[in-house]
Amino acid sequence: MAIPRSLAIQLLGFAAGCGLSPADIRSDVLARAPKVREIVFAVRKPGHDGHWYANFSYYGPDENRPAYLPGGRLCKLDLTTGQVATLLDDPQGGVRDPVLSHDASRIIFSWRKGTGGNYHLYDCKTDGSDIRQLTDGPWDDFEASPLPDGDIVFVSSRCKRWVNCWLTQVATLHRCKPDGTDIHPISSNLEHDNTPWTLPDGRIIYQRWEYIDRSQVHYHHLWSANPDGTNQMPYFGNTVPDTVMIDAKPIPGGDEIVAIFSPGHGIREHAGRLTVLNPRLGPDDPAAVRIVNQDAAFRDPWAFSNDAFLAARDAQLLAMNGSGAAQALYELPEADRKAGFWIHEPRPVLVRQREAPIAPRTDRKQATGRLILGNILEGRNMAGVKPGEIRKLLILESLPKPINYTGGMDPLTYGGSFTLERVVGTVPVEPDGSAYMELPALRSFFFVALDENDLSVKRMQSFLTVQPGEVTSCVGCHEQRTRTTLPPGGLLALSRPASKIEPIADVPEVFDFPRDIQPILDQACAGCHGYEKTQQGGPYAGKLILTGDRGPMFSHSYFMMTITGLFSDGRNRPQSNYPPRALGSSASRLLKMLDGSHFGAKVTPLQAKTLRLWIEAAATYPGTYASLGCGMIGGYQENAPFHTDDAWPTTQAGARIIDSRCSSCHQGGGPPPLPRTLCDERGTSFWQPKIPNPALVTSRHLVFNLTRPEKSLLLLAPLSREAGGLQLCRKGDDPAPVIPNKDDPAYQTLLAMVAAGKNDLDTITRFDMPDFKPRPAYIREMKRYGILPENLPADAKVDPYDTDRRYWQSLWHRPGR
């Protein structure tokens, strides 16, 4: 299709302010690319939802619900004639990510053929002939880029994991030969790696999304690595929250790069502001960023210079100058636009100089790599930490999810981590602050610096990985990447062989709160902090419940420990690099209260170690990902469906009692509102760091007791003391109890409401209940990964803890596999 005449006068951005005509912009940009005659691009519909990464495979709960829409083409625009040639047309399939080989003789692209569900890598000649399939299998391979030696780096769902906070699959960095053989991972990320591209010095620049005990929607920035995956480090922005930095490519003639800075948690299909980044200012300096055009609608940039770019915007292919003025070079026909098609990934057909080669630093026959730490005291926000104070590093592993169903972290935590974390062991830190360790390759580790009492001093909130055979190093703890250190006399840690990780005896690797923590609370705490008056201060001492009774989603003890701040974790906040001893065991009141000083409550050394390591490992509630998406009553909406016939009618009756007997006080400036149903998420919020007065907590997670309905605070608070209640409620100034006795119809209605909830939970079961059964989608994915047999009977008993363990181990690097 020829360029429409109407587009000859179409301007975007700041063209008028620049005093340029449309012809000026087009000719000005293309004059900086005199050898470019043709531009290759893809045509397809954007993904279903607004997430920048959700555009391949299917949604977790339903394998028949794809994240993509049908229809795709591979096209080529002739700039001299304005004609567009269709190289490949698949009305039911999808085409994405075309890229030219260095000699511009072939196009590498991803193609989801026909009604097939997976994208695979293909290549063809620039006229669309000689199409060759490079990869196959039940995985998605896309965003390919040629390496200097002819190999291909790309992202793939072969990593077998799901987004920690959404319903779609993850793709991470992989590498293969030019013919698609020898596919192997070079990343262990739990979340997405995206848009790898080779820099002139031979490194790969790519987007890495990850969050270790910090906000899931703020940290997706630019990283670099060698082509073999070694030397992974932040390129820009890992401490700068609230932007997705993606689609980065070098600008010829200098060190600058062009990228898309997509605001917040990103916009669909990587849309954002076309941005130029100067890496010479370091990895964190905002002055390194120059926004070329403030409109957050551009995608897939290509730079001819720092003043001439190509980009896509919806159905348009644009030329843009360094002032942000843009002109459409081509727009899809009206029928395509009405059908929802966009232009994607415009790439000039242009011979490119091969980037500098970087010699391989891996040995895939090795199972481990080695890490050197220069001085743990070197770094930002380490004030007050004395030499020799840090004695060892606790090594934790962030564990991938085999399936996911929601955008929240529940039921793993209430406002904290989105992942389970494994306690791997410890390595020593020398008196000079150095450490030297051997780590299993291609796994996601992070460290907690421990003092002589094994209490936390400093915590990582990012992960590192080593490649097989790699030897890498870091200067210190959260150090500036522009700094280095060379202590006189060398590092003490290098005077000996690398430390092997020392496992920690007598504690589980992955904690499970009901199994591992609640028995300690039962022995040390629940006598006072329970519903019965048995010991000092009971019942409900300090207005704090530490029993294992189940609420609609969590146990009462887990919920109350979280909202009252008895343990300190990262929470879901856009914050990292906390001051020393601000997170973890050193900052957790729970440990200080169990040394005998708090009304004689004291735990054994093993119990103290268990509690301490549970806190360091993100203080999660379940110890299995099979818990996801099940065993919970309701989501975050008032009218979520129940699973038993009697639950909803009795809930409606209970809601009417709450309205008539309680709402006159629980509104306005009075006590917090009461939940009207077991699904009603009001009364508190996990966004609050902690609740200063537990007596004011009216959340559904606490007022409903689904283990012992008669012990529900919804019943005990208004019930008279003579009838066994707490009599915390009254009618205005009237001292009489709201509910005088258990024969009161209101009491019976509320009791029936909670009992129906208990019956519903007993029907659906939770991970810590005897008859628990994971969701079908969990079983489906474990079969797909080869962890469970394909012919597993529908009524077969599945051990979720063992299944998770075998799933994680299946992902480990093993030489020769």
Side-chain angles (χ1 to χ4, degrees):
M1 172 184 173
I3 301 174
R5 288 185 175 273
S6 61
L7 293 181
I9 59 170
Q10 180 174 3
L11 292 178
L12 299 170
F14 310 121
C18 298
L20 295 173
S21 70
D24 288 336
I25 299 169
R26 183 181 189 276
S27 60
D28 183 53
V29 170
L30 296 182
R32 300 171 191 270
K35 297 181 181 180
V36 176
R37 174 179 172 178
E38 297 172 322
I39 297 174
V40 171
F41 59 93
V43 176
R44 66 180 180 276
K45 298 172 185 175
H48 267 304
D49 66 45
H51 293 86
W52 49 271
Y53 51 83
N55 54 17
F56 69 96
S57 193
Y58 53 86
Y59 289 91
D62 183 2
E63 62 183 324
N64 296 313
R65 182 190 171 200
Y68 52 78
L69 293 169
R73 302 197 300 272
L74 180 63
C75 298
K76 185 171 63 174
L77 169 68
D78 188 317
L79 290 171
T80 60
T81 66
Q83 298 300 309
V84 171
T86 298
L87 308 181
L88 173 66
D89 187 3
D90 191 335
Q92 295 302 314
V95 177
R96 57 179 296 168
D97 313 314
V99 60
L100 275 295
S101 59
H102 285 91
D103 64 3
S105 65
R106 299 190 72 85
I107 305 168
I108 305 169
F109 61 99
S110 292
W111 182 10
R112 181 180 51 77
K113 242 180 178 180
T115 57
N118 298 110
Y119 280 99
H120 295 127
L121 299 186
Y122 290 78
D123 76 349
C124 66
K125 293 182 178 179
T126 56
D127 62 1
S129 65
D130 190 27
I131 296 177
R132 303 182 303 191
Q133 182 170 352
L134 305 181
T135 65
D136 59 12
W139 320 106
D140 289 274
D141 306 319
F142 53 100
E143 293 179 353
S145 181
L147 294 170
D149 64 358
D151 282 5
I152 301 170
V153 63
F154 61 101
V155 301
S156 176
S157 65
R158 297 168 189 269
C159 55
K160 303 176 185 177
R161 58 201 63 184
W162 289 68
V163 173
N164 294 330
C165 60
W166 198 234
L167 296 71
T168 51
Q169 293 183 51
V170 164
T172 60
L173 290 179
H174 285 65
R175 178 172 170 160
C176 70
K177 296 295 184 184
D179 62 359
T181 60
D182 192 27
I183 297 173
H184 58 279
I186 58 173
S187 168
S188 66
N189 197 357
L190 272 64
E191 290 289 7
H192 280 279
D193 300 322
N194 280 106
T195 59
W197 201 272
T198 309
L199 295 170
D201 63 10
R203 290 179 298 160
I204 300 167
I205 188 171
Y206 62 101
Q207 184 277 145
R208 169 166 143 172
W209 177 26
E210 50 103 340
Y211 41 97
I212 302 292
D213 305 330
R214 57 180 180 171
S215 169
Q216 89 276 24
V217 296
H218 285 83
Y219 297 95
H220 8 55
H221 300 115
L222 295 177
W223 284 65
S224 65
N226 293 343
D228 59 1
T230 59
N231 199 33
Q232 294 183 17
M233 65 172 58
Y235 188 88
F236 186 82
N238 196 40
T239 63
V240 183
D242 209 29
T243 302
V244 175
M245 303 175 186
I246 201 163
D247 286 304
K249 301 175 188 67
I251 297 176
D255 297 327
E256 291 182 323
I257 66 165
V258 64
I260 292 297
F261 276 32
S262 192
H265 188 39
I267 302 175
R268 183 166 60 165
E269 296 290 348
H270 308 184
R273 300 180 179 98
L274 195 144
T275 302
V276 170
L277 178 66
N278 181 358
R280 292 187 297 274
L281 298 181
D284 302 308
D285 192 341
V289 175
R290 177 171 70 90
I291 304 296
V292 178
N293 191 311
Q294 291 287 347
D295 191 350
F298 299 103
R299 294 174 286 106
D300 309 314
W302 180 278
F304 297 115
S305 72
N306 60 6
D307 196 38
F309 309 97
L310 295 178
R313 173 180 169 140
D314 297 340
Q316 296 176 325
L317 193 164
L318 305 168
M320 183 184 294
N321 66 19
S323 299
Q327 179 194 3
L329 300 178
Y330 173 72
E331 184 172 43
L332 292 177
E334 183 179 6
D336 279 345
R337 299 197 302 272
K338 288 183 176 180
F341 285 98
W342 286 4
I343 287 177
H344 302 262
E345 300 100 25
R347 316 285 195 226
V349 180
L350 181 69
V351 174
R352 293 182 292 125
Q353 182 177 352
R354 291 185 184 270
E355 301 82 4
I358 297 178
R361 293 171 47 189
T362 62
D363 179 0
R364 287 159 59 195
K365 296 178 182 178
Q366 300 294 319
T368 62
R370 286 171 288 163
L371 173 68
I372 303 164
L373 169 63
N375 182 357
I376 198 164
L377 297 185
E378 290 283 343
R380 293 168 284 186
N381 219 359
M382 294 294 287
V385 182
K386 300 175 181 178
E389 184 175 347
I390 296 172
R391 301 296 183 85
K392 64 180 73 169
L393 295 177
L394 173 64
I395 300 176
L396 300 168
E397 180 180 6
S398 195
L399 298 169
K401 281 183 175 178
I403 186 67
N404 204 34
Y405 309 98
T406 74
M409 68 287 290
D410 50 89
L412 294 182
T413 63
Y414 190 70
S417 177
F418 282 77
T419 61
L420 297 174
E421 297 171 1
R422 172 191 280 119
V423 176
V424 184
T426 62
V427 295
V429 175
E430 301 296 336
D432 66 347
S434 65
Y436 181 34
M437 69 200 77
E438 185 176 10
L439 299 172
L442 282 167
R443 287 160 66 180
S444 299
F445 297 116
F446 63 101
F447 303 147
V448 179
L450 303 179
D451 65 14
E452 61 181 349
N453 298 313
D454 289 337
L455 295 176
S456 61
V457 179
K458 190 76 172 179
R459 181 183 184 90
M460 280 180 68
Q461 291 183 282
S462 183
F463 77 88
L464 63 83
T465 188
V466 294
Q467 298 294 322
E470 179 183 9
V471 179
T472 190
S473 64
C474 55
V475 172
C477 186
H478 295 273
E479 80 281 0
Q480 285 279 5
R481 291 287 176 172
T482 53
R483 292 182 56 189
T484 187
T485 183
L486 184 61
L491 304 177
L492 289 177
L494 293 182
S495 65
R496 54 168 174 78
S499 300
K500 295 186 182 296
I501 300 173
E502 181 68 29
I504 299 176
D506 304 321
V507 295
E509 290 184 336
V510 180
F511 286 98
D512 185 274
F513 183 90
R515 181 192 66 200
D516 304 318
I517 306 304
Q518 188 60 51
I520 301 175
L521 302 179
D522 289 342
Q523 177 258 308
C525 309
C528 293
H529 297 283
Y531 292 103
E532 295 83 8
K533 186 174 182 179
T534 57
Q535 295 181 23
Q536 176 74 34
Y540 196 34
K543 308 299 185 285
L544 180 68
I545 293 293
L546 294 178
T547 67
D549 296 84
R550 297 183 184 95
M553 190 176 291
F554 307 97
S555 71
H556 288 177
S557 56
Y558 183 81
F559 176 74
M560 290 220 74
M561 287 172 66
T562 302
I563 65 170
T564 56
L566 283 180
F567 59 82
S568 174
D569 60 352
R571 299 283 83 198
N572 186 34
R573 300 191 192 109
Q575 182 178 354
S576 56
N577 196 15
Y578 286 72
R581 300 188 184 275
L583 292 178
S585 54
S586 285
S588 295
R589 293 188 297 137
L590 177 66
L591 297 182
K592 298 177 177 66
M593 300 173 76
L594 292 175
D595 61 1
S597 60
H598 178 72
F599 298 101
K602 191 170 184 178
V603 295
T604 68
L606 176 58
Q607 289 173 328
K609 180 167 73 169
T610 300
L611 289 169
R612 174 178 59 81
L613 290 171
W614 170 71
I615 292 170
E616 308 293 20
T620 54
Y621 179 47
T624 171
Y625 285 136
S627 64
L628 299 173
C630 54
M632 299 177 284
I633 293 181
Y636 294 105
Q637 64 273 1
E638 183 174 346
N639 297 319
F642 287 95
H643 303 82
T644 52
D645 292 338
D646 65 331
W648 188 239
T650 54
T651 292
Q652 290 177 307
R656 288 192 289 270
I657 294 297
I658 292 170
D659 289 342
S660 62
R661 293 284 189 105
C662 309
S663 62
S664 60
C665 290
H666 288 272
Q667 63 180 356
L674 285 171
R676 298 180 69 254
T677 72
L678 276 73
C679 312
D680 186 359
E681 188 74 8
R682 69 176 80 183
T684 189
S685 168
F686 61 64
W687 300 110
Q688 295 174 260
K690 65 179 182 178
I691 304 299
N693 185 355
L696 297 179
V697 174
T698 58
S699 168
R700 71 186 183 104
H701 298 296
L702 186 63
V703 301
F704 299 112
N705 190 322
L706 304 187
T707 300
R708 298 176 290 172
E710 71 280 2
K711 297 297 183 183
S712 296
L713 289 179
L714 184 70
L715 298 169
L716 295 177
L719 184 64
S720 68
R721 294 189 183 91
E722 289 75 12
L726 299 174
Q727 200 170 329
L728 298 176
C729 302
R730 62 183 185 180
K731 306 172 185 175
D733 296 329
D734 186 350
V738 174
I739 299 180
N741 56 64
K742 295 181 180 180
D743 293 327
D744 189 302
Y747 179 92
Q748 292 298 321
T749 300
L750 293 175
L751 178 61
M753 174 189 187
V754 184
K758 178 185 185 303
N759 183 42
D760 197 62
L761 181 58
D762 290 343
T763 300
I764 61 176
T765 69
R766 188 171 292 173
F767 68 94
D768 61 335
M769 299 172 72
D771 296 324
F772 171 70
K773 189 173 183 179
R775 278 183 69 159
Y778 175 89
I779 302 296
R780 178 197 73 212
E781 293 301 301
M782 288 301 190
K783 288 180 178 180
R784 189 166 74 97
Y785 304 147
I787 308 303
L788 293 175
E790 192 63 41
N791 60 352
L792 182 76
D795 59 350
K797 183 76 172 178
V798 172
D799 180 346
Y801 300 93
D802 177 67
T803 304
D804 275 6
R805 188 179 306 110
R806 290 189 290 116
Y807 159 69
W808 294 320
Q809 291 175 353
S810 75
L811 304 175
W812 293 357
H813 168 73
R814 290 186 173 87
R817 188 176 66 171

